Amino acid sequence: MQYRTLGRTGIKVSPYCLGAMMFGAAGNPDHEDSIRIIHKALDAGINFIDTADIYSRGESEEIVGKALKGRRDDVVLATKAHLPMGDDPNRQGNSRRWLIRAVEDSLRRLQTDHIDLYLIHRPAPDTDIEETLSALTDLIQAGKVRAVGSSTFPVSEIVEAQWVSERRGLARFRAEQPPYSILNRSIEREVLPACERYGMGAMVWSPLAMGMLTGKYRKGAPQPDSARAKRFPRQMNDERRLDAVERLIPLAQQAGLSLAHMAMAFTIAHPAVTSAIIGPRTMEHFDDLLAGAGVSLTDEILDRIDAIVPPGTDIGSLEAAYNPPAVTQPNLRRRPIVERFAA
């Protein structure tokens, strides 16, 4: 396994990051089986693990904590906070009040005294970014967190956070975790260049486009009876995305690759991408993804991918990504009726 530097932190991580979202009740409820997958990843040289408090409501962190007993120092461990962890409205978000508590909860579940990379899972429009960065700075100074980052932040908020850090002398985001795949390339326009500009590592999620780049979702064929197909039916049945998949499959075959291996190799070929997060649910899934770790795409293949999905563009929407209030709340983009007249 080769290793890359996470932004300008000096921390060396593997190009494959083991995502733990599928460990626990939301994916694989068998703790021992999940632990075996984690151990096999470590034995293969993967030294980067990503989880979050929200994954199976803390169960994923508990599984990772058990798996890392005796091996904690060999792992760059990332976790996240922001999404609701209960009915209490204050057990979520990016406030100082919640983040200080959330870190303590994650440390307990992970059975460790520090988190190598602590990520803010999504923006919080109701919270001043200075409030968030101030709390993260205190956590770093207390030795509970080594570095901090963001996840699925719009480029405007990435830049604003960097400016606030500089003006206020606060810890700055050292990594961003955006969605990125052959089907969703919009971050190539601004997010990845911003990461390079500010020395931030990029650990990208959904490199297989929520499973569409596994080859299991085909145009005109019955869709797999999967949890993702049920949760994101519009995305998984998007004709434009399925059309692109039908064009990508023969390209992968001509290159002697599976579609999944070509998709993974595509993401880590970008110079701004540090790692791509793989999220296996079973050992079979993990073995298949690991088998593609040695795949390198030629310029010719990358050019042909560009011809199918142009650089900097998305085909359809990624429903799990972040949409700001300006998009989700109609009242923020519609004047009152009495003010909609031009004369």
Side-chain angles (χ1 to χ4, degrees):
M1 189 68 64
Q2 299 187 38
Y3 297 92
R4 300 174 174 182
T5 304
L6 184 68
R8 289 200 286 269
T9 64
I11 300 172
K12 309 298 183 183
V13 296
S14 49
Y16 279 8
C17 173
L18 181 65
M21 185 176 73
M22 300 307 294
F23 299 153
N28 187 344
D30 186 331
H31 285 209
E32 292 305 315
D33 189 43
S34 297
I35 289 171
R36 283 192 289 271
I37 294 172
I38 294 171
H39 286 171
K40 189 166 186 177
L42 299 182
D43 292 341
I46 295 174
N47 74 336
F48 200 9
I49 296 178
D50 173 76
T51 184
D53 56 4
I54 192 64
Y55 297 161
S56 295
R57 289 299 179 95
E59 189 181 2
S60 171
E61 288 185 326
E62 292 174 355
I63 292 171
V64 170
K66 288 190 288 186
L68 295 186
K69 284 183 178 180
R71 306 185 72 166
R72 174 65 185 90
D73 291 341
D74 300 328
V75 174
V76 177
L77 180 59
T79 192
K80 302 181 284 293
H82 166 83
L83 296 171
M85 288 295 287
D87 296 330
D88 185 336
N90 286 312
R91 291 179 61 82
Q92 62 183 295
N94 301 344
S95 69
R96 168 181 287 273
R97 184 181 191 276
W98 173 237
L99 292 178
I100 299 297
R101 168 65 184 275
V103 162
E104 295 294 345
D105 290 346
S106 288
L107 289 172
R108 183 186 68 255
R109 290 188 290 261
L110 290 165
Q111 300 184 53
T112 186
D113 62 356
H114 72 281
I115 296 163
D116 296 301
L117 178 61
Y118 196 56
L119 299 158
I120 303 302
H121 212 152
R122 293 293 188 274
D126 64 352
T127 307
D128 192 331
I129 189 62
E130 184 174 346
E131 171 85 0
T132 301
L133 292 170
S134 175
L136 295 175
T137 300
D138 289 348
L139 289 168
I140 291 175
Q141 292 175 346
K144 296 179 179 181
V145 171
R146 298 292 189 258
V148 296
S150 54
S151 176
T152 322
F153 271 44
V155 69
S156 60
E157 299 200 34
I158 292 173
V159 173
E160 180 186 6
Q162 294 291 330
W163 288 356
V164 169
S165 294
E166 183 177 353
R167 288 199 304 268
R168 301 301 187 189
L170 300 172
R172 63 189 183 90
F173 288 150
R174 295 290 190 166
E176 161 63 13
Q177 188 178 113
Y180 184 52
S181 72
I182 293 175
L183 299 182
N184 292 95
R185 303 183 60 176
S186 60
I187 66 166
E188 293 174 342
R189 287 185 175 273
E190 294 185 299
V191 171
L192 291 180
C195 288
E196 290 182 300
R197 184 180 187 89
Y198 291 106
M200 299 171 65
M203 45 191 299
V204 301
W205 59 269
S206 198
L208 299 180
M210 305 294 286
M212 291 202 75
L213 295 175
T214 61
K216 296 177 182 178
Y217 296 83
R218 301 294 299 270
K219 189 171 184 178
Q223 298 292 1
D225 184 23
S226 67
R228 286 178 178 172
K230 294 175 181 177
R231 185 178 178 186
F232 304 107
R234 180 168 57 86
Q235 177 178 303
M236 308 311 279
N237 289 282
D238 188 312
E239 288 292 321
R240 296 166 297 171
R241 295 168 74 83
L242 290 170
D243 284 340
V245 168
E246 292 301 321
R247 297 175 64 190
L248 290 166
I249 288 174
L251 173 58
Q253 291 173 340
Q254 290 167 21
L257 303 171
S258 71
L259 179 59
H261 290 173
M262 185 176 77
M264 290 298 305
F266 167 84
T267 59
I268 63 172
H270 195 291
V273 171
T274 311
S275 298
I277 299 172
I278 58 173
R281 181 175 57 84
T282 66
M283 185 67 78
E284 181 183 3
H285 292 163
F286 175 72
D287 286 341
D288 178 66
L289 290 169
L290 186 62
V295 173
S296 175
L297 302 184
T298 65
D299 287 342
E300 179 187 358
I301 295 175
L302 292 171
D303 288 343
R304 293 179 66 183
I305 291 174
D306 289 348
I308 297 170
V309 183
T313 64
D314 287 340
I315 297 183
S317 63
L318 187 60
E319 295 174 65
Y322 173 74
N323 283 312
V327 172
T328 60
Q329 298 179 24
N331 65 299
L332 296 181
R333 47 189 165 81
R334 297 176 184 173
R335 289 179 179 271
I337 292 177
V338 297
E339 297 179 8
R340 296 178 191 174
F341 302 100

